Structure formats: structure tokens, C-alpha cells
Amino acid sequence: MLSEEELQKKWESLTFADNFIFSHVMHDENICRQVVELILGVRIGKIHYLSAQDEHKTDPDSMRIIMDVFLRDEDKIINVEMQTGHKKELPRRSRYYQSVADVSTTPSSCLYPNLPDSILIFICTFDPFDKNFPRYTFQYSCNEEPQLKLKDGSLRIFLNTATEELDNLDQKLQAFYHYIQKGEVESELTQNISRKITTLKNDSIVRRFYMTWSITMADMRHEGFEEGLEQGLEQGLEQGREQGAYQNKLETAKTMLSLGLPLDQIQLCTSLPLDVVQELAQTK
């Protein structure tokens, strides 16, 4: 287990590419809007956050996923993920994320023509398809007639921020890539991101939440590893993560309540449902 000093050093070294920092920074609506519009190349409407760093599943027995940034505007569902580990299953992962996003945001009364467009963006710190393209955009088309598009409203974008081949990108997007690659601040957007990260790192509540979360995750990984010796390593790790994640959120919420923080801020930091936070507040 990491010592408090080691955790502090880790906290200070976190960058925009870390999922914890990424999710919190992207909950600044101004920054989130700029990042999404920069990647899509179009303006988006008023942002409504659906959830972040929270578990999603379509039914009790389905596979859980945790989304970094999950939002919608007037006519689109947008999921933005920071991906630092080169996983071969990323294409299938993207398929599942997009399907869960659809199911979890579609009311039973919705008609098919009224389904919102669904956009999934993976910001990768590696080349996900080994073609050295700075960007990979996928939409369904007909094998027999590639010009015939399915037009089902789905779009998947994978950014390869590891590449040096950026000449065909807009200057602002190049600056965004450079910031992820090397931490270089070359634009108003990256300056805003850098300032937001500094603010987060100076926030004692957020820092305490991160350290508590890190310790709990380390414990759960260890317990999951031991249990995995009997049940299968991957299954054990997953079970350990699931058992610890929710309890950790509850304990963090209790700590924040004891400090007198607003319920909406606690809900944002922990991703617990607001009614759960309200219940904790009533019983503390």
C-alpha cells in the first residue's frame, strides 16, 4: 500500500490524462464545451451532465461500466473517455459503451425517429489502430456500396494523441494534442485546463477524496487478487473493485457531510445519487 507521502507525490504528478483529473476538469462546463466542440468541429447546445465516474448497466445481470464524461445537449448524447491503457478490446468496448448510453437515456415511451444522435469519443494516449492517424472516425456504411451510409445517428471518434503527424489538424487541436503529450500550454483552452487542474490540486477536499479513493481501490485490488487465486484472477479483481467502489463513495460522502459541504457538491464529487446523499445527511 502506498504511504501518505507517496500518495501526495502521486497526486501532485497527476495530469489531464488521469481519469480522476480528466473527469473533474471536464465538469467545468466551459472547458467541456470547448473540448467537445474542438473535437467535433461543430457547436453544441446547452450541456446537461448525465453522470460521471459512476457505474452504468442495462439490467442487474449485465456488465457494469464507468463513464468518464457523460452528457447531452438538445439533440445528442455524448460520452467522452480518456484512455491511457492500450487495450485490444477497445473497438468492442466502444460498441458496448454506446449501447449502454442509448439504453440508459431512452425512456420506454420514446419512438425510434426521436432517438438522439449518439457520439462516443475516446481520447487515447496511444495509437489504437496502429496506422499513425491523429484521428479515426467511424460511421456505418454498406460493404456493397461504401457511399451508402446507414445514418443511424451513431458516431465513434478515437483520437491518437501519441502521433507527431499533426499537420492536417487545426492549430487549436494541435495545441490540445501537445498539451496531452507534453503538458505544453499553447492555447487559451489548454491554459484554462491547466488552471483548473491547479485549482483542483489546491482543493483539500478533492485531494482527500482522491487519496481515500486510491487507498480503497488498492485494498480492493489486493483483496480481489487473493480471491482471484481461487475464482480466477480477472473475476476476483472485478469483484473487488465493485464491492469497494460504492462503500468508498458512501464513506467519502459522510466525511464531506461532516465538513458541512453542500449536498450538490457532495453528489458531484462522489457520483452518488442525490437521494442517497440526502438520506445520509438525514441520518448523520
Side-chain angles (χ1 to χ4, degrees):
M1 181 185 297
L2 293 176
S3 66
E4 186 172 344
E5 182 179 355
E6 290 171 324
L7 282 171
Q8 180 64 31
K9 288 182 179 179
K10 184 178 179 182
W11 168 249
E12 291 172 355
S13 68
L14 294 179
T15 69
F16 187 56
D18 178 86
N19 291 97
F20 182 90
I21 292 293
F22 177 75
S23 180
H24 278 71
V25 169
M26 291 287 280
H27 257 74
D28 180 308
E29 185 173 339
N30 181 51
I31 291 176
C32 183
R33 176 183 302 281
Q34 289 184 66
V35 169
V36 173
E37 290 183 345
L38 181 63
I39 293 171
L40 296 182
V42 297
R43 299 292 298 275
I44 62 174
K46 180 175 176 56
I47 290 176
H48 172 65
Y49 290 98
L50 301 174
S51 66
Q53 287 292 309
D54 200 7
E55 291 184 351
H56 295 267
K57 55 193 305 185
T58 55
D59 64 67
D61 296 321
S62 65
M63 182 169 60
R64 295 173 175 84
I65 63 172
I66 296 178
M67 297 181 179
D68 289 340
V69 182
F70 191 29
L71 55 91
R72 72 176 302 161
D73 68 356
E74 285 87 346
D75 59 358
K76 294 183 289 297
I77 299 294
I78 304 172
N79 177 204
V80 189
E81 299 290 320
M82 178 62 72
Q83 190 69 43
T84 58
H86 197 331
K87 296 180 174 64
K88 293 182 179 179
E89 80 278 5
L90 195 57
R92 290 180 183 267
R93 177 191 292 248
S94 70
R95 165 184 147 191
Y96 190 72
Y97 271 50
Q98 204 155 34
S99 66
V100 171
D102 274 340
V103 173
S104 63
T105 57
T106 305
S108 59
S109 59
C110 182
L111 300 176
Y112 290 120
N114 297 330
L115 280 173
D117 288 350
S118 176
I119 300 173
L120 175 59
I121 301 169
F122 274 98
I123 302 174
C124 302
T125 59
F126 56 90
D127 188 343
F129 301 102
D130 300 320
K131 298 294 184 181
N132 204 32
F133 296 152
R135 174 194 186 105
Y136 301 89
T137 304
F138 293 90
Q139 290 178 295
Y140 294 112
S141 61
C142 178
N143 287 345
E144 290 75 14
E145 180 53 66
Q147 298 304 314
L148 176 61
K149 303 297 182 181
L150 188 58
K151 297 182 180 180
D152 65 342
S154 66
L155 174 68
R156 299 183 209 177
I157 298 171
F158 300 80
L159 300 188
N160 166 25
T161 65
T163 184
E164 299 293 333
E165 301 296 326
L166 305 178
D167 292 343
N168 293 329
L169 297 183
D170 174 90
Q171 268 194 331
K172 291 182 180 179
L173 194 53
Q174 288 187 37
F176 183 68
Y177 276 55
H178 289 159
Y179 182 72
I180 296 175
Q181 290 172 346
K182 307 169 186 176
E184 297 176 352
V185 178
E186 304 172 343
S187 66
E188 180 181 354
L189 171 58
T190 56
Q191 185 177 62
N192 290 339
I193 293 173
S194 183
R195 286 174 177 168
K196 183 67 176 181
I197 292 174
T198 298
T199 300
L200 285 171
K201 289 186 176 182
N202 289 332
D203 189 320
S204 60
I205 301 300
V206 177
R207 182 174 68 248
R208 185 182 306 172
F209 172 64
Y210 172 78
M211 290 186 174
T212 302
W213 175 81
S214 294
I215 291 171
T216 302
M217 289 299 99
D219 288 343
M220 291 304 101
R221 281 193 293 270
H222 180 69
E223 292 174 11
F225 177 79
E226 291 183 339
E227 188 170 349
L229 294 177
E230 298 179 359
Q231 299 182 5
L233 177 59
E234 193 60 35
Q235 180 183 348
L237 286 170
E238 182 63 26
Q239 186 173 353
R241 285 192 292 268
E242 292 173 5
Q243 289 174 346
Y246 188 71
Q247 187 61 38
N248 175 55
K249 292 178 181 181
L250 292 177
E251 293 303 320
T252 302
K254 291 176 183 177
T255 299
M256 298 176 78
L257 283 168
S258 70
L259 295 171
L261 293 173
L263 300 190
D264 57 348
Q265 183 177 346
I266 296 173
Q267 192 276 331
L268 174 61
C269 288
T270 63
S271 295
L272 286 169
L274 184 57
D275 59 342
V276 173
V277 177
Q278 292 171 336
E279 185 177 345
L280 288 173
Q282 293 170 359
T283 58
K284 75 180 182 72

